Amino acid sequence: MMKITSAEFIKSAVWLPQYPPAIMPEIAFIGRSNVGKSSLMNALVGRKQLAKTSQTPGRTQLVNFFTVNDSISFVDLPGYGFAKVSRSVKKDWGDMIETYLRERKNLAMVVFILDIRRDPSNDDLSLRDWLEYYRIPFTAVLTKSDKLSNNQAIGRKKIIEKLLGANAQKKTILFSAKTKKGREDLWEIIENHLSSLQSH
Ligand code: GDP
């Protein structure tokens, strides 16, 4: 059981020169707008308002940095796929996310958040392609699982894993910010991954 002793907001950034120093291993959280990313991050650290849940989907257009237990960095990447924005704003989001994934030296792992009730969108599949292209380890987390029965959730997990492809088949997690289901599983994956990095 992961004990959270501190969770702090560090800063928001748009481009690389504004990122804080790369001194701790970093876990990035990413998913389409309104998927439940802020709720997941808050549930993970047990804070109500660490990451701001979005009133207006698509409003968070910054890369937000946090530290947890003074030893892990968390990054909240802009939610993509919000329909009601212009093409140029969409391109800015894409650039922001790809720059981060390509350039961030201390990026240890991506938590790739999907709504358990929806098939991966084209934007989700592009993200998966980037993660594979840049060889960034990721875990797919299927959130809002409380909205389905256990059996339905297991069925959806199989379908989504298949649609995401081979690299996602090992450690997809069923999650709910509402019931906290999957919280310990996700921490275990994060901690195991971080300790495997240290032993290299
Ligand atoms: P973000 O835009 O990805 O950061 O999404 P938010 O965390 O703001 O969540 C979007 C909406 O989904 C809000 O109304 C949340 O209350 C709701 N939500 C998020 N996670 C869950 C979940 O696990 N279960 C349920 N039932 N609702 C959720």
Side-chain angles (χ1 to χ4, degrees):
M1 175 99 181
M2 182 69 180
K3 192 171 184 305
I4 310 298
T5 53
S6 68
E8 289 168 56
F9 172 72
I10 300 299
K11 72 178 293 193
S12 297
V14 178
W15 303 117
L16 196 64
Q18 303 162 331
Y19 293 175
I23 49 179
M24 295 170 197
E26 198 155 274
I27 312 293
F29 296 80
I30 186 160
R32 64 183 294 148
S33 178
N34 214 36
V35 72
K37 174 163 50 71
S38 314
S39 304
L40 179 148
M41 293 179 76
N42 290 335
L44 210 53
V45 297
R47 303 286 190 276
K48 282 209 175 74
Q49 276 284 10
L50 184 74
K52 297 223 169 51
T53 49
S54 50
Q55 252 66 34
T56 319
R59 237 189 36 194
T60 357
Q61 299 174 35
L62 297 166
V63 183
N64 296 311
F65 293 86
F66 305 86
T67 55
V68 176
N69 290 0
D70 297 316
S71 59
I72 310 171
S73 175
F74 272 16
V75 176
D76 182 2
L77 287 166
Y80 51 81
F82 182 53
K84 288 181 194 150
V85 298
S86 68
R87 201 174 276 258
S88 75
V89 169
K90 274 185 193 163
K91 182 173 182 304
D92 284 349
W93 284 349
D95 287 351
M96 222 185 277
I97 292 167
E98 193 175 9
T99 300
Y100 173 84
L101 295 176
R102 192 180 58 225
E103 302 290 343
R104 190 64 168 161
K105 297 284 182 287
N106 57 331
L107 174 58
M109 186 182 129
V110 164
V111 175
F112 180 6
I113 306 157
L114 298 124
D115 185 323
I116 194 161
R117 300 164 301 171
R118 305 175 69 150
D119 288 348
S121 66
N122 288 337
D123 289 322
D124 291 323
L125 296 175
S126 301
L127 173 67
R128 181 217 47 200
D129 290 345
W130 282 347
L131 295 173
E132 291 183 351
Y133 180 79
Y134 293 118
R135 297 179 192 282
I136 299 165
F138 68 90
T139 289
V141 177
L142 309 184
T143 196
K144 307 194 186 181
S145 68
D146 58 276
K147 299 212 181 222
L148 301 179
S149 72
N150 271 342
N151 276 344
Q152 284 174 322
I154 291 163
R156 287 295 302 158
K157 178 172 182 278
K158 283 191 190 134
I159 292 167
I160 294 170
E161 281 176 336
K162 206 166 193 176
L163 293 169
L164 285 179
N167 287 346
Q169 309 241 339
K170 268 176 287 179
K171 25 179 192 181
T172 306
I173 292 179
L174 300 180
F175 194 90
S176 165
K178 199 169 166 186
T179 67
K180 310 290 185 276
K181 176 191 173 85
R183 181 179 180 273
E184 289 312 314
D185 293 341
L186 183 51
W187 265 122
E188 197 178 306
I189 285 180
I190 292 171
E191 289 187 284
N192 284 344
H193 186 69
L194 293 180
S195 46
S196 78
L197 294 179
Q198 274 165 5
S199 60
H200 279 296

